[in-house]
Amino acid sequence: MDFKQLAAQYKNELFENVLPFWLHRSQDFEQGGYYTCLNRRGEVFDTDKFVWLQGREVWLFSMLYNKVEKQKEWLDCAVQGGEFLKKHGHDGNYNWYFSLDRKGAPLVEPYNIFSYTFATMAFGQLSLATGNQEYADIAKRTFDIVLSKVDNPKGKWNKLYPGTRNLKGFALPMILCNLSLEIEHLLDDKFLMSTIDTCIHEVMEVFYRPELGGIIVENVLASGELSDSFEGRQVTPGHAIEAMWFIMDLGKRLNRPELIEKAKDITLTMAEYGWDKEYGGIVYFMDRDKCPPQQLEWDQKLWWVHIETLISMLKGYQLTGDKNCLEWFERVHDYTWSHFKDTEYPEWFGYLNRRGEVLLPLKGGKWKGCFHVPRGLYQCWQILEQLKSNI
């Protein structure tokens, strides 16, 4: 495998194709914030603004400014998005709405915890980029609210009847594994470590189930037991695989090689589990008992699932030397670049049907924004640069 050539491929795609697309197509210079509903050619097809995607774009351009190059254009992009969020994204007490209209008036109440987590990430990175204490305070205050909601993330908007089947989901502890390192510079050491310990325990002891062959389930009962229900049987391979590179980062940060090894093994198990043996690619949702999944889109192939798998496989190889990770990286790389990359217009497709045909030609929407593609290209480029220099 030619790490030098691959590093150049990922770097060029990030800086020549994907970043210019978002920089020039998504910014709303009149009202502030970003458009995310962009068609194949990058034209706006809906002007609603989704708070978690606004936060992701603020984070992305702040992160690149902090870690790659002090480009004024990147910082300006991040700051204007941050200012739009600061002004319109919450109710005044940092309860973050789900969506806003173009001008910033709220459309959907603050029911979604990911509006909060990505606001925290956004203002954490933006505070580093600008040195602005107000941004740091917003990140810290929002993070406190996230932690207060761990037991009931949707609060009064939780549709489940209380007491009958109390479930907890994998998504929040998974995100917190990444988020705690993202805002490490804002947290007290003792508090940071206790948060990290809790998240690692949840992800690697509660949702990871050795008795099911070493897979990760998406929901368990509040007691930690398995639930024989649609939600309780759900397996989301992409979520599990993405979480494993967060865990590998924590393993490296904490100098815990056994944690890295376990995360690498789970990555390989979940990729094998989710891989479509007939058409290739990783399916979106599965049922651990092979019952019909409740999600009708279960067999779609999604951009983020494959991009996150590329990161986890490369990290797994870099940190453990396991050649199986490299073989999987090659397999997923070939599928991803041949199916999701649009060879005619910038940015990547997000949604394929099971056979790998483009289902929706959009480049951004309600769920796809400026995040997984550029973050994945950045992560893979960085790892490949290091692998290249180690040869």
Side-chain angles (χ1 to χ4, degrees):
M1 192 175 289
D2 188 339
F3 293 132
K4 186 177 180 182
Q5 187 182 342
L6 281 166
Q9 180 178 347
Y10 280 83
K11 180 184 181 182
N12 290 342
E13 185 68 14
L14 176 61
F15 294 113
E16 304 302 321
N17 175 0
V18 173
L19 279 188
F21 174 88
W22 292 105
L23 206 52
H24 303 307
R25 297 287 190 169
S26 75
Q27 292 193 76
D28 182 348
F29 291 109
E30 292 172 15
Q31 301 293 342
Y34 316 106
Y35 303 114
T36 58
C37 297
L38 303 168
N39 69 14
R40 186 182 180 188
R41 294 184 299 277
E43 298 155 342
V44 178
F45 68 85
D46 195 285
T47 60
D48 286 357
K49 291 171 180 171
F50 305 96
V51 167
W52 69 312
L53 295 182
Q54 302 289 308
R56 284 175 159 194
E57 190 155 349
V58 172
W59 173 84
L60 194 279
F61 280 101
S62 302
M63 182 276 291
L64 291 174
Y65 179 85
N66 289 331
K67 294 188 175 178
V68 178
E69 192 181 333
K70 299 279 185 274
Q71 279 204 33
K72 183 177 184 298
E73 202 177 17
W74 294 351
L75 185 61
D76 289 347
C77 178
V79 168
Q80 74 86 359
E83 285 296 315
F84 179 81
L85 272 181
K86 184 182 87 174
K87 187 175 180 184
H88 302 292
H90 58 90
D91 65 356
N93 293 311
Y94 302 106
N95 293 303
W96 297 86
Y97 299 116
F98 178 73
S99 61
L100 315 168
D101 70 9
R102 186 188 168 195
K103 291 182 177 178
L107 290 171
V108 177
E109 292 274 19
Y111 81 93
N112 192 305
I113 193 69
F114 302 112
S115 297
Y116 295 72
T117 58
F118 289 107
T120 306
M121 268 175 77
F123 286 101
Q125 277 293 332
L126 196 56
S127 73
L128 271 182
T130 60
N132 183 324
Q133 185 59 40
E134 187 185 10
Y135 295 153
D137 291 342
I138 293 171
K140 281 194 285 191
R141 286 184 64 180
T142 305
F143 188 63
D144 286 342
I145 296 170
V146 170
L147 292 180
S148 76
K149 287 173 168 285
V150 165
D151 291 333
N152 186 12
K154 292 193 177 182
K156 64 183 179 184
W157 289 282
N158 194 333
K159 290 183 285 189
L160 298 178
Y161 187 85
T164 307
R165 185 190 290 151
N166 290 333
L167 294 169
K168 60 180 181 177
F170 178 69
L172 187 52
M174 161 201 164
I175 289 280
L176 287 173
C177 287
N178 182 237
L179 188 56
S180 53
L181 282 186
E182 272 290 328
I183 61 164
E184 182 177 351
H185 61 288
L186 300 175
L187 301 177
D188 164 76
D189 272 359
K190 193 176 173 186
F191 178 67
L192 173 73
M193 287 306 157
S194 76
T195 305
I196 287 173
D197 285 346
T198 303
C199 296
I200 291 173
H201 168 73
E202 287 282 301
V203 169
M204 303 301 273
E205 308 296 335
V206 179
F207 291 93
Y208 167 68
R209 310 303 293 208
E211 75 273 28
L212 298 176
I215 63 169
I216 283 178
V217 295
E218 194 68 20
N219 299 288
V220 294
L221 293 169
S223 63
E225 295 172 63
L226 293 169
S227 168
D228 186 9
S229 59
F230 274 122
E231 291 80 10
R233 293 190 304 269
Q234 181 182 325
V235 177
T236 316
H239 248 177
I241 293 169
E242 179 182 3
M244 289 308 102
W245 74 258
F246 299 167
I247 294 289
M248 288 184 220
D249 280 355
L250 288 173
K252 191 175 174 185
R253 167 74 176 73
L254 301 171
N255 193 22
R256 289 180 54 185
E258 82 293 344
L259 188 61
I260 295 170
E261 192 71 27
K262 185 175 177 183
K264 178 266 297 178
D265 288 342
I266 295 171
T267 301
L268 292 169
T269 298
M270 291 305 304
E272 186 67 47
Y273 189 85
W275 187 259
D276 186 337
K277 310 295 189 285
E278 192 172 350
Y279 294 103
I282 298 168
V283 298
Y284 193 11
F285 296 112
M286 301 176 78
D287 185 288
R288 62 181 165 86
D289 288 346
K290 296 187 169 55
C291 300
Q294 66 174 325
Q295 296 90 354
L296 303 182
E297 69 275 25
W298 72 271
D299 63 349
Q300 287 178 21
K301 311 292 164 64
L302 269 68
W303 83 108
W304 69 265
V305 172
H306 295 77
I307 290 164
E308 298 302 329
T309 302
L310 290 172
I311 301 170
S312 290
M313 290 303 174
L314 266 188
K315 273 193 201 276
Y317 173 69
Q318 180 190 31
L319 295 171
T320 71
D322 190 329
K323 292 278 181 27
N324 291 318
C325 291
L326 212 51
E327 288 172 20
W328 265 105
F329 171 77
E330 201 162 10
R331 182 191 295 189
V332 178
H333 167 91
D334 290 345
Y335 183 91
T336 303
W337 284 81
S338 62
H339 288 81
F340 290 103
K341 178 173 165 55
D342 185 348
T343 54
E344 290 182 51
Y345 296 96
E347 243 285 346
W348 291 18
F349 298 120
Y351 302 89
L352 314 175
N353 65 19
R354 186 176 177 189
R355 293 184 297 277
E357 300 155 345
V358 175
L359 193 61
L360 293 170
L362 56 76
K363 296 300 173 57
K366 186 175 180 176
W367 310 108
K368 182 180 189 291
C370 177
F371 189 63
H372 287 286
V373 177
R375 182 179 74 166
L377 292 169
Y378 167 78
Q379 283 280 341
C380 290
W381 163 50
Q382 290 293 298
I383 300 166
L384 288 161
E385 285 287 346
Q386 291 160 19
L387 291 171
K388 173 183 94 176
S389 58
N390 291 342
I391 295 171

